[in-house]
């Protein structure tokens, strides 16, 4: 029986690679250019990428053994999906792979800006204690504007509501029922931009 061969680019997490090792021969690499991919792609049955390696139509045309291309992340914008489809290659992603991390990063940046943490940190490192200058503002009862209530936007909204923020959002695809579940006021983009204290 032929060995199933997987090429994992862009420094895919080792835990993912470990899952595959019992059933496949896995080759790991950093990001590969189109020219580098063209040299090796014909030898692989599966390809895993993150965001750096671009899987172009030219690469896909050379991928004669390829059965599946996996994006370790949300989007597939670095993969020519129509070209893969025409060749009968499945393209999959991990839509919830970084939802929590991205939402937490968004909230962390919002808190950082509200409390002037970078400026306060810099002043303190220079020996100045300017407590009154860097008081910042509370997020409590402030209006968070969310443009797009997808997986990440919804999680940001949920945590912001738990912090006592009012959340309004623009998303033409979200139903009233979903907005009610999240306790989010849906509005036109112009209204969100006009009323938001913070915007994501």
């Amino acid at each position: 029986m032929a060995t199933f061969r997987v090429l994992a680019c862009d420094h895919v997490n080792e835990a993912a690679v470990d899952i595959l090792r019992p059933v496949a021969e896995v080759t790991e690499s950093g990001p590969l250019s189109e020219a580098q991919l063209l040299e090796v792609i014909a030898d692989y049955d599966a390809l895993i990428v993150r965001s750096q390696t671009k899987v172009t139509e030219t690469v896909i045309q050379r991928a004669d053994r390829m059965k599946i291309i996996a994006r370790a992340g949300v989007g597939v914008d670095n993969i020519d999906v129509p070209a893969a489809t025409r060749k009968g290659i499945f393209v999959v992603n991990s839509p919830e792979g970084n939802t929590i991390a991205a939402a937490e990063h968004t909230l962390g940046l919002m808190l950082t800006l509200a409390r002037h943490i970078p400026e306060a940190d810099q002043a303190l490192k220079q020996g100045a204690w300017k407590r009154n200058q860097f008081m910042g503002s509370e997020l409590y009862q402030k209006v968070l504007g969310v443009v797009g209530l997808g997986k990440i936007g919804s999680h940001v909204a949920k945590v912001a509501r738990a912090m006592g923020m009012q959340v309004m959002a623009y998303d033409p695809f979200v139903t009233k029922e979903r907005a009610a579940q999240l306790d989010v006021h849906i509005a036109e983009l112009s209204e969100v931009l006009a009323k938001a204290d913070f915007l994501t």
Side-chain angles (χ1 to χ4, degrees):
M1 187 169 124
T3 303
F4 193 85
R5 301 191 70 208
V6 179
L7 176 60
C9 303
D10 301 342
H11 305 293
V12 171
N13 189 296
E14 196 62 34
V17 175
D18 287 344
I19 291 170
L20 295 171
R21 288 199 193 282
V23 295
E25 178 187 315
V26 182
T27 302
E28 296 179 78
S29 79
L32 297 179
S33 67
E34 182 181 63
Q36 291 170 314
L37 269 177
L38 286 170
E39 288 179 18
V40 299
I41 199 67
D43 296 331
Y44 291 94
D45 302 285
L47 175 65
I48 304 173
V49 296
R50 292 181 66 196
S51 58
Q52 291 178 284
T53 297
K54 310 296 181 217
V55 188
T56 64
E57 182 173 14
T58 306
V59 169
I60 289 166
Q61 289 304 319
R62 183 84 51 95
D64 291 330
R65 287 177 54 170
M66 192 68 50
K67 294 165 187 64
I68 187 167
I69 300 170
R71 164 71 159 88
V74 176
V76 291
D77 53 307
N78 56 320
I79 302 167
D80 190 327
V81 177
T85 302
R86 285 192 298 273
K87 195 155 173 121
I89 300 170
F90 287 102
V91 176
V92 298
N93 66 344
S94 51
E96 298 192 24
N98 67 343
T99 298
I100 301 300
E104 287 180 358
H105 186 68
T106 299
L107 292 156
L109 290 173
M110 190 167 56
L111 286 162
T112 297
L113 291 171
R115 291 298 181 170
H116 307 295
I117 292 172
E119 300 92 332
D121 177 65
Q122 189 63 34
L124 191 61
K125 286 178 179 174
Q126 293 171 353
W129 177 250
K130 300 179 180 179
R131 178 179 167 197
N132 291 337
Q133 186 177 335
F134 300 122
M135 289 289 288
S137 63
E138 291 182 342
L139 298 183
Y140 182 72
Q141 292 299 310
K142 296 293 190 303
V143 177
L144 172 63
V146 181
V147 179
L149 276 176
K151 293 185 185 317
I152 295 168
S154 293
H155 192 74
V156 169
K158 181 180 175 182
V159 176
R161 287 293 301 131
M163 293 168 61
M165 296 187 81
Q166 299 172 40
V167 181
M168 58 189 316
Y170 169 72
D171 190 325
F173 304 105
V174 168
T175 64
K176 290 179 182 177
E177 293 77 22
R178 178 65 177 147
Q181 284 176 342
L182 294 168
D183 196 13
V184 170
H185 171 69
I186 297 294
E188 290 300 318
L189 182 59
S190 57
E191 185 184 356
V192 173
L193 295 176
K195 293 184 177 177
D197 297 302
F198 296 88
L199 183 68
T200 181

